[in-house]
Amino acid sequence: MSLPVWPATVPYEPLRDAWDVKPIRDPLETEMEAGNVRMRRRPGDALPLIKWSADLSAAEFATFLAFVSGSLFGASVRFTMPVSLDGAAFSARTVQMRAGTLGWSASGDKVRVVFDLYVFPASVVS
C-alpha cells in the first residue's frame, strides 16, 4: 500500500522563523528514589523532529484539512512530504505528525498551521 502524498497545492516549505530541527528524540527518563535519573534509549531515537509552520490561504487550508481528516485519518498515519533537515535542500521523505502538536490560528486572511513532524530515514518508504 502506498503512502498518502502531501497535496501539491499546499506549500511544503515552512516559515523560516518557525522551522527548527531536533536531531534525535529525548531519552526516556525515570526518577529514582536515590541516585541519578535513569535514562534509556527507545526504538526510533534517531528520528529527527521538525517544527513546521506555514501561513495558508483559505483554499490551501481547506485542502490541508481534507488531507488530514481523510488521507491521514486525523493525522494518525505516515505520509510522504518534501522536507529539509539542513534548511536548504528539500527531498521527499516518509514523515508522521507527532501526536498532539497539530494546531492552527487565524492571522488576517491567512491561517497559520503548526505541527511537529518525525522524519524517517530515506530508506523507509512505507
Side-chain angles (χ1 to χ4, degrees):
M1 182 172 101
S2 63
L3 295 175
V5 177
W6 184 258
T9 58
V10 177
Y12 58 84
E13 292 186 39
L15 295 170
R16 192 56 153 158
D17 61 343
W19 177 83
D20 187 35
V21 175
K22 187 174 186 180
I24 59 173
R25 291 171 63 186
D26 292 331
L28 291 173
E29 293 184 0
T30 302
E31 294 283 335
M32 308 302 279
E33 286 187 30
N36 296 333
V37 172
R38 179 177 174 213
M39 296 174 59
R40 60 198 181 282
R41 293 183 52 103
R42 60 185 157 185
D45 278 349
L47 292 180
L49 182 69
I50 293 178
K51 291 194 177 296
W52 190 93
S53 178
D55 291 334
L56 305 181
S57 69
E60 292 166 342
F61 183 64
T63 301
F64 172 78
L65 279 183
F67 175 66
V68 170
S69 62
S71 300
L72 300 186
F73 301 99
S76 64
V77 299
R78 295 177 184 179
F79 59 101
T80 303
M81 176 183 183
V83 295
S84 174
L85 294 173
D86 62 5
F90 284 83
S91 62
R93 298 283 290 269
T94 298
V95 296
Q96 185 170 17
M97 288 183 192
R98 182 178 177 197
T101 63
L102 174 59
W104 54 81
S105 61
S107 175
D109 61 342
K110 299 280 187 173
V111 177
R112 178 159 292 180
V113 176
V114 297
F115 53 83
D116 293 350
L117 276 178
Y118 287 117
V119 181
F120 293 87
S123 60
V124 175
V125 292
S126 64

